[in-house]
Amino acid sequence: MTDKEVTLARVNTGRQMQHMSDREYLDREYNNQAKVKNFKNYVGEWRALSATARSEIPNVKVLTYDQKSGQKLDLIFPLEGVTESLPVQVFFHGGYWKALDRELFYFVARSFADYGIATAVVDYELIPTIQMPELIRQCRESIAFLYRQSERLGLDNANIHCFGHSAGGHISAMCLATDWSQFAADLPDQILQSATGISGLYDLEPISNCFLQDDLHLSNEDVSELSPAYLDAPANGQMQIIVGSEEGPEYAKQSESLYRKWEPISLSPINMNPYNHFTIMSAFADPTSAPAQMVRQVIGSPEEGVRS
């Protein structure tokens, strides 16, 4: 039996044991707030971690990356200061495309500031203010902005990477899948060297069939055109897929579905213990954590930081 068949068998067995309808099953599996006790504590933790990180890593530029929407990003420079041609990791937050903002996630810069890597933490408008195609356009525009402004900002435009958590994993994969020369005439075919999804969502069909659809209003076109698991593998770049071991079968299935579709450019999904949906995000406050190290490794960063 293949890994994919094992995953599907686990999903089906779980449904049969619970005697659940498809909707009940999906509602349970994607309701992270119900699955993880005291989830609100994690949001408070992220806010506190970000407040501390702002004092620890104060060299930041707040930049408007998209004139149409007015959306901004925080470009956080490493502790050694602004030098020429810095690699940059672009972070897209989660929140099921309809909640949270960049202010909560400044702390992810802790994973890169000691290692000579700039961090861009991106805001984007949320559903239902906009719909999914515009949300993806905005996030793509943040990547294009950093590429175009790389010389002015001291970034290496040949060393741009992105990663994201949950919905942000979906966004990161969509950015890697972009034909940038079709997005804008002044861009090359590929900008990104890598993307990493942290407990990401790559198939929008189950999302459109659970409680989240009540807010997201995904169309059939959204599902078919904006699900990375339905798109051909990008010709260039690398996809890294990480999922918390305590996420449940649907998240494992999401990761497996992208790996099978993008196998030519994907690393095998990493089931990372002992993380749930929220603790795997908190791990990026600790540069020595396994998730932080995995995301740095795709950049090829030396693992000795400036404070080692």
Side-chain angles (χ1 to χ4, degrees), residues 30-244:
Y30 287 105
N31 190 345
N32 293 306
Q33 295 181 12
K35 287 197 298 183
V36 179
K37 293 180 180 179
N38 302 319
F39 80 95
K40 289 183 180 179
N41 292 349
Y42 292 104
V43 176
E45 177 186 60
W46 299 340
R47 185 174 289 109
L49 287 169
S50 288
T52 301
R54 286 186 182 90
S55 63
E56 294 174 338
I57 317 167
N59 196 350
V60 58
K61 291 184 178 180
V62 181
L63 303 166
T64 300
Y65 69 81
D66 181 36
Q67 295 302 318
K68 178 181 175 182
S69 65
Q71 292 300 297
K72 293 178 169 59
L73 59 81
D74 290 337
L75 182 60
I76 307 162
F77 293 94
L79 292 173
E80 64 189 24
V82 182
T83 61
E84 292 185 1
S85 299
L86 290 169
V88 58
Q89 263 288 4
V90 183
F91 175 72
F92 298 106
H93 68 79
Y96 279 142
W97 307 275
K98 63 190 183 74
L100 310 182
D101 59 49
R102 80 180 196 279
E103 298 292 331
L104 286 173
F105 297 98
Y106 195 103
F107 73 86
V108 300
R110 279 181 164 180
S111 289
F112 309 105
D114 275 334
Y115 300 85
I117 303 167
T119 310
V121 183
V122 178
D123 248 347
Y124 50 87
E125 285 185 282
L126 303 172
I127 297 171
T129 302
I130 58 170
Q131 294 304 306
M132 189 69 79
E134 169 62 11
L135 188 155
I136 297 300
R137 184 203 68 79
Q138 289 179 15
C139 293
R140 285 169 166 162
E141 192 60 49
S142 72
I143 303 289
F145 170 85
L146 291 170
Y147 179 87
R148 292 179 178 124
Q149 300 297 319
S150 57
E151 184 174 359
R152 176 175 71 86
L153 297 172
L155 304 177
D156 181 358
N157 67 9
N159 207 355
I160 301 174
H161 308 255
C162 71
F163 77 115
H165 172 241
S166 194
H170 165 262
I171 293 167
S172 296
M174 286 301 302
C175 287
L176 187 64
T178 304
D179 182 340
W180 294 98
S181 62
Q182 294 296 314
F183 185 74
D186 63 325
L187 299 175
D189 292 344
Q190 182 59 283
I191 293 176
L192 291 167
Q193 299 303 303
S194 77
T196 301
I198 310 295
S199 293
L201 303 162
Y202 312 108
D203 180 354
L204 296 181
E205 183 175 2
I207 306 302
S208 71
N209 289 318
C210 75
F211 72 99
L212 293 165
Q213 178 69 353
D214 297 342
D215 292 325
L216 298 176
H217 302 293
L218 298 169
S219 68
N220 291 335
E221 290 76 18
D222 292 340
V223 171
S224 61
E225 297 173 9
L226 301 178
S227 289
Y230 298 172
L231 305 179
D232 291 337
N236 300 292
Q238 183 182 76
M239 185 72 207
Q240 181 171 227
I241 304 167
I242 299 171
V243 63

Side-chain angles (χ1 to χ4, degrees), residues 10 241-249 251-253 255 268-275 280:
R10 286 175 179 169
I241 304 167
I242 299 171
V243 63
S245 63
E246 298 180 13
E247 290 282 10
Y251 275 85
K253 182 181 175 184
S255 294
S268 182
I270 300 167
N271 193 277
M272 198 160 281
N273 188 55
Y275 297 104
I280 202 166

